[in-house]
Structures are given as C-alpha cells and as structure tokens.
Amino acid sequence: MSDAGTELLEQQIAAYIGHQRWFAGKGREHEVTGLRTLAWLDGDDVRVQLALVAVTSAAGVDTYQLPLSHRVEWAEGLEHALVGTVDGVHVYDALHDSPAVEQITLALTTDVAVPAPLSAHRVAARDLELGQASVLLTGEQSNSNVRVGDDLLLKLFRRVTPGRNPDIEVLEALTTCGSHEIVPLVGWLAGAEDAGELDLAMLSDYLRTASDGWDLALTSVRDLFAERDLHPDEVGGDFASESHRLGITAARLHADLAAALPHETWDHDRLSQVTARMRARLDVAAKEVPEVAEHAPALTGAFDAMDGLTEGVAVQRVHGDFHLGQTLRTMDGWRVIDFEGEPATSLAERTALDSPMRDVAGMLRSFDYAAQSQWADLLGDHQLAQRAREWAERNRAAFVAGYAEDSGTDPAGSSAAAVLLRAYETDKAVYEAVYEARNRPTWLPIPLRAVSRLAHDTGGAS
C-alpha cells in the first residue's frame, strides 16, 4: 500500500471507529496518528491485516487492534462493516467477515505456523470445520466476541497494552488445573513489538445452551412484578436457589484461583494502604454527590473497622469485576467468564492480589442493580419498590449462604470476612454513585439506596 493509501486508510479508520461500541473515545475529537501491521494472514478470497491503530485525543494516545479484511471484489452483506476503499481494494472490519475470522481461528486450532511476529499458544485441542459462518456478538463493550460455528468463541482485545492479558493468564491456569467453574480456554494469539509482547485474541469453547446470569435475574424480577401481591419466595420465578448455587460456584472459583495462582497475606501496613484509597474515593464522591457527603462520616466507619483487623488478611487473584453479567447458567451449573478485570483500570491494578470479599461485594451490588434496574418505573409505586428490595435482600442472603457453605468462610455476622465485605461493598457503592452521577443520572438512586443502607447498617452482609 502506498503512503498516500495508508494516509487515506487512517482517515477512514478514524471515521469508522468513532461509531464502534468498543471505542472508548466516542464523543471526543480524535485522530488516527499511526497504522502499523503486525502480520498478514492469506486466504483464498481475502487477506487479513492484523493491524494496530494509534488514536490520539485529549485523553492521550491509545492503541487499538482493528483486524482488516482486504477484498478486491465487493462483498455483498458487509456494507455495514466497510471501513473504506483504497487503491481499488475494499477494506472491511474483519470480525464481520466470516472467511477472515476463519483465518484467525485457524492459527489457534491447527499446527500451521503463523507469520512472525505472531505466536499461537494452544491449551486444548479443538477441530475447526472450514466454511462455517461466524457471528459478531453484541454483548461485550470494551472488546469483541465472535461465535465461530456452533462450538467456539473468539474474543479479540480492542485496546491493547504490552503484557499478559489477565483473562488469558487466569483462564490458562484454571483450564490447566481442570476448574469446573469456567469456560475452558483453547488458546491465544500474541504479537511482539519493541515495547513487548501483546496479547491479541483468545479462543474458548462456546456454550450454546448457556443463559446469561443477568438476563435470568431480570426475568425473575419481572415475574415478581407481574405478581405484585406476592413476595419473592411465593413466585414461580424465585431466583434464590440459583443465587445459592452461584455462591457455591464463587467459593469454588476462589479456591481454584488460590491453588493455581499466587496468594499471600496482607499485614496491617498493607491493609492501611487499601483503606486509605477507599477513603480517598469517598472524599471525591462526597464532593461530587451531595447525598454521599451526607453519609460520609458513617461510611468511614466501615473503613475504620477494616483498619482495626488485627490478624493478617489472606489475599489472592480474584475476578475483579464480578457481577451477574459475568456468569452463565449451563445445564450442569454456573460458569464464570471474563477475567480481564475492570476495563478502566491499569494492568497492574487488574492483576493485583486482593481479598475474595471484593468479588462477593461486587455480586451483592449486582443483585441490587438487577432488582432496581427499572427504577424509573418504580417511582411512586411503593409496593413494587418494596418487592424489589425484598428480592435483592433474599438473593443477597442466598448467595452469601452458598458461599459460606462451600468455603467455610461466612461473610455474614461478626467475622473478619464480614468486616472486609462491608468495607468492600461500601467502596463499591461509593464508586457506583460517582459513575452514575457522571454517566447515568437516572440510575443514581440505585447506589444511593445502598449508600444509605450501609451508613446505617451494623449487621454486615445481608
């Protein structure tokens, strides 16, 4: 491609990515200031350019991965994925182009050598039937998931940085040790640059019959609202037994993580560093959200109690972004997915050891969100609002009970785990209040209700 062609393609990419859900700079002025090719994969009718795009905006420079399929002939049905036309060649977003997806997947399911500087790492053997259709799924926001045929899922990381991607690192360890709580990893694709190795994509099994945990929870809430005179335990769609099973799954996942990856014990100094960050986040929230400021002195008590723990705190690798949307209900139980951590945080933060109570707190907050996600419809309807609170309380308690049953660690009552859980849930609710105030003001009542409850609650998890 000529220099002029490359410059034109960069302009076309800048226009294209501005409308993609995985692009973090939507709504901001941005410019593509560099397009570099890691490698080319050649098929019969399509060439796949594994490309990295440097995007400059007021927030700085980010590197995005954008695989491009190059076709001489116009591809019917791919108009929505057209990035541009350069030197008579039509250039598409390759993840919408089934033959292009097949070229990437072949690198992880066959022993054919991939061109340098790519490297293919296989964890489990899988066969790929050629000529299958692929479907780009719509659930993921920060990355892209593509169903390949009926049995495989290709996940491509969009914003890439040097270093091991936590999703790959954790899933490789858990797949190798035979964990039942995950979807097994098949392999991953990496590329090398001067700055270091980049994890580009991973391939895992696709569970066709699995149901999304968030969707199942919302269905249960809708069933409850349809029977407005009944309590959650009286409705056919009661979710508490599933929440109990999910608590058991979380406990077993934490046990597998502790066995397969590093763990240690925090002393009091290290614990104080963590609570100092929690207090700093509370200070920021109190300045931005008046309702948080009202409760700030009481909320600080949760952090004081965590500071007062006299014994060391066991920490390990955790999920880091644990909520109902990161779970799948299969025929034989729950599975946990997406171990990449909170996308907005640094790689160091996403791979840091932490207390398992951080994950427990994340799931408890998710139950609140599921119950109150239609909050605007509940305003003024006190009966449905009460049913939503009952649903959240029932499922939070069931999850904690399941976790305690399998792990032997009870996050309720007066245990050290309960002290940690209250601090982590308080920190999470404070974070949510700031996020909703900035991004979704109509959802702000959800975390504010939790802030109020936590400020007045001395009873721990439930």
Side-chain angles (χ1 to χ4, degrees), residues 266-285:
W266 281 347
D267 60 17
H268 188 267
D269 288 344
R270 183 67 181 86
L271 197 63
S272 295
Q273 295 173 16
V274 175
T275 55
R277 289 198 294 270
M278 291 178 172
R279 289 189 179 90
R281 281 190 285 269
L282 177 57
D283 289 342
V284 171

Side-chain angles (χ1 to χ4, degrees), residues 224 227 229-238 387 390 394:
L224 175 63
E227 302 285 352
D229 294 328
L230 299 180
H231 298 283
D233 60 339
E234 300 172 324
V235 177
D238 182 23
R387 293 292 178 263
E390 291 173 359
R394 177 171 172 77

Side-chain angles (χ1 to χ4, degrees), residues 20-22 80 95-96 135-147 153-154 206 212 215:
Q20 305 309 305
R21 60 187 299 145
W22 44 262
H80 62 288
L95 294 196
H96 293 265
V135 178
L136 181 63
L137 306 181
T138 58
E140 177 67 77
Q141 289 187 328
S142 55
N143 297 305
S144 295
N145 287 313
V146 184
R147 192 191 76 211
L153 184 72
L154 179 69
Y206 179 71
D212 179 86
D215 290 340

Side-chain angles (χ1 to χ4, degrees), residues 53-108:
V53 179
V55 180
T56 300
S57 68
V61 180
D62 291 309
T63 300
Y64 288 87
Q65 183 183 184
L66 180 62
L68 300 169
S69 60
H70 293 241
R71 289 176 169 272
V72 174
E73 301 294 333
W74 177 261
E76 294 292 339
L78 286 182
E79 295 84 359
H80 62 288
L82 180 68
V83 176
T85 301
V86 179
D87 298 334
V89 176
H90 307 296
V91 183
Y92 301 91
D93 185 335
L95 294 196
H96 293 265
D97 191 345
S98 291
V101 171
E102 183 175 279
Q103 291 302 312
I104 300 172
T105 309
L106 280 171
L108 296 171

